[in-house]
Short mmCIF file of all heavy atoms in Angstrom, two decimals:
data_model
loop_
_atom_site.label_atom_id
_atom_site.label_comp_id
_atom_site.label_asym_id
_atom_site.label_seq_id
_atom_site.Cartn_x
_atom_site.Cartn_y
_atom_site.Cartn_z
N LEU A 1 10.90 6.65 42.17
CA LEU A 1 10.75 6.71 43.62
C LEU A 1 9.35 7.20 44.00
O LEU A 1 8.71 7.93 43.23
CB LEU A 1 11.79 7.66 44.22
CG LEU A 1 13.25 7.23 44.08
CD1 LEU A 1 14.17 8.34 44.57
CD2 LEU A 1 13.51 5.95 44.85
N PRO A 2 8.88 6.85 45.21
CA PRO A 2 7.61 7.40 45.68
C PRO A 2 7.72 8.92 45.87
O PRO A 2 8.82 9.45 46.01
CB PRO A 2 7.38 6.72 47.03
CG PRO A 2 8.51 5.78 47.25
CD PRO A 2 9.47 5.91 46.12
N ALA A 3 6.60 9.59 45.87
CA ALA A 3 6.58 11.06 45.94
C ALA A 3 7.33 11.60 47.15
O ALA A 3 7.98 12.64 47.06
CB ALA A 3 5.15 11.56 45.95
N SER A 4 7.31 10.89 48.25
CA SER A 4 7.98 11.39 49.47
C SER A 4 9.50 11.29 49.38
O SER A 4 10.19 11.92 50.18
CB SER A 4 7.49 10.60 50.68
OG SER A 4 7.85 9.23 50.56
N GLN A 5 10.03 10.53 48.41
CA GLN A 5 11.47 10.35 48.30
C GLN A 5 12.07 11.01 47.06
O GLN A 5 13.26 10.86 46.82
CB GLN A 5 11.81 8.85 48.28
CG GLN A 5 11.46 8.15 49.56
CD GLN A 5 11.80 6.67 49.50
OE1 GLN A 5 12.20 6.15 48.47
NE2 GLN A 5 11.61 5.98 50.61
N LYS A 6 11.27 11.72 46.29
CA LYS A 6 11.80 12.38 45.10
C LYS A 6 12.83 13.42 45.50
O LYS A 6 12.67 14.13 46.49
CB LYS A 6 10.68 13.00 44.29
CG LYS A 6 9.74 11.93 43.72
CD LYS A 6 8.95 12.45 42.58
CE LYS A 6 7.95 11.43 42.10
NZ LYS A 6 8.52 10.36 41.35
N PHE A 7 13.92 13.51 44.73
CA PHE A 7 15.06 14.33 45.15
C PHE A 7 15.38 15.48 44.20
O PHE A 7 16.15 16.35 44.55
CB PHE A 7 16.31 13.46 45.32
CG PHE A 7 16.67 12.64 44.11
CD1 PHE A 7 17.40 13.17 43.07
CD2 PHE A 7 16.25 11.32 44.01
CE1 PHE A 7 17.73 12.42 41.96
CE2 PHE A 7 16.58 10.55 42.91
CZ PHE A 7 17.32 11.11 41.88
N ILE A 8 14.82 15.51 43.01
CA ILE A 8 15.10 16.62 42.09
C ILE A 8 14.27 17.83 42.52
O ILE A 8 13.05 17.77 42.59
CB ILE A 8 14.80 16.25 40.63
CG1 ILE A 8 15.74 15.14 40.17
CG2 ILE A 8 14.92 17.47 39.72
CD1 ILE A 8 15.51 14.67 38.73
N VAL A 9 14.98 18.93 42.80
CA VAL A 9 14.31 20.16 43.18
C VAL A 9 13.85 20.89 41.93
O VAL A 9 12.71 21.34 41.84
CB VAL A 9 15.25 21.06 44.02
CG1 VAL A 9 14.59 22.40 44.33
CG2 VAL A 9 15.66 20.35 45.30
N HIS A 10 14.76 20.99 40.92
CA HIS A 10 14.42 21.69 39.69
C HIS A 10 15.35 21.24 38.57
O HIS A 10 16.56 21.15 38.76
CB HIS A 10 14.55 23.20 39.88
CG HIS A 10 13.99 24.01 38.77
ND1 HIS A 10 12.64 24.12 38.54
CD2 HIS A 10 14.59 24.72 37.79
CE1 HIS A 10 12.45 24.88 37.48
NE2 HIS A 10 13.63 25.26 37.01
N VAL A 11 14.77 20.93 37.40
CA VAL A 11 15.56 20.64 36.20
C VAL A 11 15.77 21.97 35.49
O VAL A 11 14.81 22.62 35.07
CB VAL A 11 14.85 19.63 35.29
CG1 VAL A 11 15.64 19.42 34.01
CG2 VAL A 11 14.64 18.30 36.01
N LEU A 12 17.03 22.40 35.40
CA LEU A 12 17.33 23.71 34.83
C LEU A 12 17.32 23.69 33.31
O LEU A 12 16.79 24.59 32.67
CB LEU A 12 18.68 24.21 35.36
CG LEU A 12 18.76 24.28 36.89
CD1 LEU A 12 20.18 24.55 37.33
CD2 LEU A 12 17.81 25.32 37.41
N ASP A 13 17.95 22.68 32.73
CA ASP A 13 17.90 22.45 31.28
C ASP A 13 18.25 20.99 31.05
O ASP A 13 18.27 20.20 31.99
CB ASP A 13 18.81 23.42 30.51
CG ASP A 13 20.28 23.31 30.88
OD1 ASP A 13 20.73 22.24 31.30
OD2 ASP A 13 21.00 24.31 30.71
N GLY A 14 18.55 20.61 29.82
CA GLY A 14 18.81 19.21 29.49
C GLY A 14 20.06 18.62 30.13
O GLY A 14 20.19 17.40 30.19
N THR A 15 20.96 19.46 30.61
CA THR A 15 22.21 18.94 31.17
C THR A 15 22.50 19.43 32.59
O THR A 15 23.55 19.11 33.14
CB THR A 15 23.41 19.33 30.27
OG1 THR A 15 23.47 20.76 30.18
CG2 THR A 15 23.28 18.72 28.90
N HIS A 16 21.58 20.17 33.19
CA HIS A 16 21.79 20.70 34.54
C HIS A 16 20.53 20.51 35.38
O HIS A 16 19.42 20.74 34.89
CB HIS A 16 22.13 22.19 34.51
CG HIS A 16 23.39 22.49 33.78
ND1 HIS A 16 23.41 22.76 32.43
CD2 HIS A 16 24.66 22.56 34.21
CE1 HIS A 16 24.66 22.99 32.06
NE2 HIS A 16 25.44 22.86 33.12
N MET A 17 20.73 20.10 36.63
CA MET A 17 19.60 19.98 37.55
C MET A 17 20.06 20.27 38.97
O MET A 17 21.24 20.14 39.29
CB MET A 17 18.95 18.60 37.45
CG MET A 17 19.82 17.45 37.82
SD MET A 17 19.03 15.86 37.53
CE MET A 17 19.04 15.81 35.75
N PHE A 18 19.13 20.66 39.79
CA PHE A 18 19.38 21.00 41.19
C PHE A 18 18.69 19.93 42.03
O PHE A 18 17.48 19.72 41.89
CB PHE A 18 18.82 22.39 41.48
CG PHE A 18 19.23 22.97 42.79
CD1 PHE A 18 20.55 23.31 43.04
CD2 PHE A 18 18.30 23.19 43.79
CE1 PHE A 18 20.93 23.85 44.25
CE2 PHE A 18 18.66 23.73 45.00
CZ PHE A 18 19.99 24.06 45.23
N VAL A 19 19.45 19.24 42.88
CA VAL A 19 18.90 18.14 43.67
C VAL A 19 19.16 18.36 45.16
O VAL A 19 20.02 19.15 45.54
CB VAL A 19 19.49 16.77 43.24
CG1 VAL A 19 19.20 16.49 41.78
CG2 VAL A 19 20.98 16.69 43.51
N GLN A 20 18.44 17.62 45.98
CA GLN A 20 18.63 17.69 47.42
C GLN A 20 20.01 17.13 47.78
O GLN A 20 20.45 16.16 47.17
CB GLN A 20 17.52 16.93 48.14
CG GLN A 20 16.16 17.52 47.90
CD GLN A 20 15.05 16.71 48.53
OE1 GLN A 20 15.28 15.66 49.11
NE2 GLN A 20 13.82 17.20 48.39
N PRO A 21 20.67 17.70 48.77
CA PRO A 21 22.05 17.31 49.07
C PRO A 21 22.22 15.92 49.65
O PRO A 21 23.27 15.30 49.48
CB PRO A 21 22.52 18.37 50.07
CG PRO A 21 21.28 18.92 50.66
CD PRO A 21 20.22 18.81 49.60
N HIS A 22 21.21 15.36 50.29
CA HIS A 22 21.36 14.07 50.95
C HIS A 22 21.38 12.88 49.97
O HIS A 22 21.67 11.76 50.39
CB HIS A 22 20.26 13.86 51.99
CG HIS A 22 18.89 13.72 51.40
ND1 HIS A 22 18.13 14.82 51.04
CD2 HIS A 22 18.16 12.63 51.09
CE1 HIS A 22 16.98 14.40 50.55
NE2 HIS A 22 16.97 13.08 50.56
N VAL A 23 21.12 13.09 48.70
CA VAL A 23 21.07 11.99 47.74
C VAL A 23 22.33 11.88 46.87
O VAL A 23 22.39 11.02 45.99
CB VAL A 23 19.83 12.09 46.82
CG1 VAL A 23 18.56 11.98 47.62
CG2 VAL A 23 19.85 13.36 46.01
N ALA A 24 23.32 12.68 47.13
CA ALA A 24 24.52 12.70 46.28
C ALA A 24 25.18 11.33 46.19
O ALA A 24 25.50 10.86 45.09
CB ALA A 24 25.51 13.74 46.78
N GLU A 25 25.37 10.68 47.32
CA GLU A 25 26.04 9.38 47.32
C GLU A 25 25.18 8.31 46.66
O GLU A 25 25.68 7.43 45.97
CB GLU A 25 26.43 8.97 48.74
CG GLU A 25 27.39 7.82 48.80
CD GLU A 25 28.66 8.04 47.99
OE1 GLU A 25 29.23 9.15 48.05
OE2 GLU A 25 29.10 7.11 47.28
N MET A 26 23.87 8.38 46.86
CA MET A 26 22.96 7.42 46.22
C MET A 26 23.01 7.56 44.70
O MET A 26 23.06 6.56 43.97
CB MET A 26 21.53 7.63 46.73
CG MET A 26 20.53 6.60 46.23
SD MET A 26 19.66 6.98 44.70
CE MET A 26 18.72 8.40 45.13
N ILE A 27 23.04 8.78 44.20
CA ILE A 27 23.13 9.01 42.76
C ILE A 27 24.45 8.47 42.23
O ILE A 27 24.48 7.79 41.20
CB ILE A 27 22.96 10.51 42.42
CG1 ILE A 27 21.53 10.97 42.74
CG2 ILE A 27 23.30 10.77 40.96
CD1 ILE A 27 21.33 12.46 42.62
N ARG A 28 25.54 8.74 42.94
CA ARG A 28 26.86 8.22 42.52
C ARG A 28 26.85 6.70 42.44
O ARG A 28 27.38 6.11 41.50
CB ARG A 28 27.95 8.69 43.46
CG ARG A 28 28.35 10.12 43.28
CD ARG A 28 29.57 10.46 44.13
NE ARG A 28 29.82 11.87 44.10
CZ ARG A 28 29.53 12.70 45.10
NH1 ARG A 28 29.00 12.26 46.21
NH2 ARG A 28 29.77 13.99 44.99
N SER A 29 26.28 6.04 43.44
CA SER A 29 26.28 4.57 43.45
C SER A 29 25.40 4.00 42.35
O SER A 29 25.77 3.01 41.71
CB SER A 29 25.85 4.04 44.82
OG SER A 29 24.51 4.34 45.09
N LYS A 30 24.25 4.62 42.08
CA LYS A 30 23.37 4.15 41.00
C LYS A 30 24.04 4.34 39.64
O LYS A 30 23.91 3.49 38.75
CB LYS A 30 22.03 4.88 41.03
CG LYS A 30 21.18 4.56 42.22
CD LYS A 30 20.66 3.14 42.17
CE LYS A 30 19.68 2.90 43.31
NZ LYS A 30 19.15 1.55 43.30
N ILE A 31 24.76 5.44 39.45
CA ILE A 31 25.47 5.67 38.20
C ILE A 31 26.59 4.64 38.05
O ILE A 31 26.80 4.10 36.96
CB ILE A 31 26.02 7.11 38.13
CG1 ILE A 31 24.86 8.10 37.95
CG2 ILE A 31 27.03 7.26 37.01
CD1 ILE A 31 25.25 9.55 38.06
N ALA A 32 27.29 4.34 39.14
CA ALA A 32 28.36 3.33 39.09
C ALA A 32 27.79 1.96 38.72
O ALA A 32 28.36 1.23 37.90
CB ALA A 32 29.09 3.27 40.42
N GLU A 33 26.65 1.60 39.31
CA GLU A 33 25.99 0.33 38.96
C GLU A 33 25.60 0.31 37.49
O GLU A 33 25.80 -0.70 36.80
CB GLU A 33 24.73 0.13 39.81
CG GLU A 33 24.96 -0.21 41.24
CD GLU A 33 23.66 -0.29 42.02
OE1 GLU A 33 22.59 -0.50 41.42
OE2 GLU A 33 23.73 -0.13 43.26
N PHE A 34 25.03 1.41 37.03
CA PHE A 34 24.61 1.51 35.62
C PHE A 34 25.80 1.35 34.68
O PHE A 34 25.74 0.62 33.71
CB PHE A 34 23.93 2.86 35.40
CG PHE A 34 23.49 3.12 33.99
CD1 PHE A 34 22.43 2.43 33.44
CD2 PHE A 34 24.14 4.05 33.20
CE1 PHE A 34 22.01 2.67 32.14
CE2 PHE A 34 23.75 4.30 31.91
CZ PHE A 34 22.67 3.60 31.38
N ARG A 35 26.90 2.00 35.00
CA ARG A 35 28.11 1.90 34.17
C ARG A 35 28.69 0.49 34.21
O ARG A 35 29.16 -0.02 33.19
CB ARG A 35 29.15 2.92 34.60
CG ARG A 35 28.77 4.31 34.20
CD ARG A 35 29.86 5.29 34.54
NE ARG A 35 29.52 6.62 34.05
CZ ARG A 35 30.07 7.72 34.48
NH1 ARG A 35 31.00 7.68 35.41
NH2 ARG A 35 29.70 8.88 33.99
N ASP A 36 28.67 -0.14 35.38
CA ASP A 36 29.18 -1.51 35.49
C ASP A 36 28.34 -2.48 34.65
O ASP A 36 28.88 -3.40 34.03
CB ASP A 36 29.20 -1.98 36.94
CG ASP A 36 30.27 -1.29 37.76
OD1 ASP A 36 31.21 -0.70 37.15
OD2 ASP A 36 30.18 -1.33 39.00
#
């Protein structure tokens, strides 16, 4: 994504990250597409 749309606030470790709340549904849909 362009710099103005980046959503990861902080990567805590290899399996945990803190993201902005407005992207939750977008992440879910992209993961669903990836799995499909």
Side-chain angles (χ1 to χ4, degrees):
L1 295 174
S4 63
Q5 295 179 355
K6 295 200 185 285
F7 55 84
I8 295 179
V9 176
H10 190 72
V11 176
L12 303 171
D13 61 27
T15 59
H16 298 90
M17 63 185 71
F18 191 67
V19 300
Q20 297 176 358
H22 67 278
V23 297
E25 193 55 43
M26 185 269 296
I27 292 172
R28 284 188 189 104
S29 67
K30 293 291 187 180
I31 289 172
E33 287 176 22
F34 178 72
R35 287 184 176 162
D36 289 343

